[in-house]
Amino acid sequence: MCLGIPAQIVDIPDPSRAKVAISGVERMIATDLLLDEALAVGDWVLVHVGFALSKIDEEEAALTLTQIERLGGDVLSGEVDSFTTSRIE
């Protein structure tokens, strides 16, 4: 199953990339789809296959994570596992 997972921005090394954290795992993602958005450290984004799809607020991020956890522990852990093995350079 492929889901969009909320992640919090921890660093923005250049306008088309951001380092995000999901469940304690950090990795670089592409922000090319959001170049018109003002992104900052601490913002939340919805991430799918290494791309930030949209900027979301903290409340929406928390609600989405809660809903994913309700699907079962394997769903979120599987998404986090795939998050750790994929790379955006």
Side-chain angles (χ1 to χ4, degrees):
M1 181 184 308
C2 293
L3 301 172
I5 303 293
Q8 190 168 33
I9 297 174
V10 296
D11 188 29
I12 302 174
D14 74 55
S16 67
R17 298 292 181 263
K19 182 183 280 188
V20 297
I22 296 176
S23 295
V25 176
E26 292 185 0
R27 70 163 278 215
M28 198 67 65
I29 63 165
T31 57
D32 301 284
L33 301 174
L34 301 179
L35 290 179
D36 293 338
E37 288 275 351
L39 298 176
V41 170
D43 284 346
W44 286 85
V45 291
L46 195 60
V47 178
H48 179 64
V49 294
F51 287 86
L53 299 178
S54 63
K55 183 176 170 179
I56 60 175
D57 62 33
E58 188 171 4
E59 183 179 339
E60 184 176 350
L63 179 62
T64 302
L65 286 170
T66 298
Q67 295 300 329
I68 292 170
E69 288 170 359
R70 287 183 180 168
L71 291 173
D74 292 343
V75 174
L76 183 58
S77 64
E79 290 299 315
V80 171
D81 287 347
S82 68
F83 184 73
T84 61
T85 59
S86 61
R87 295 282 179 254
I88 298 288
E89 301 289 330

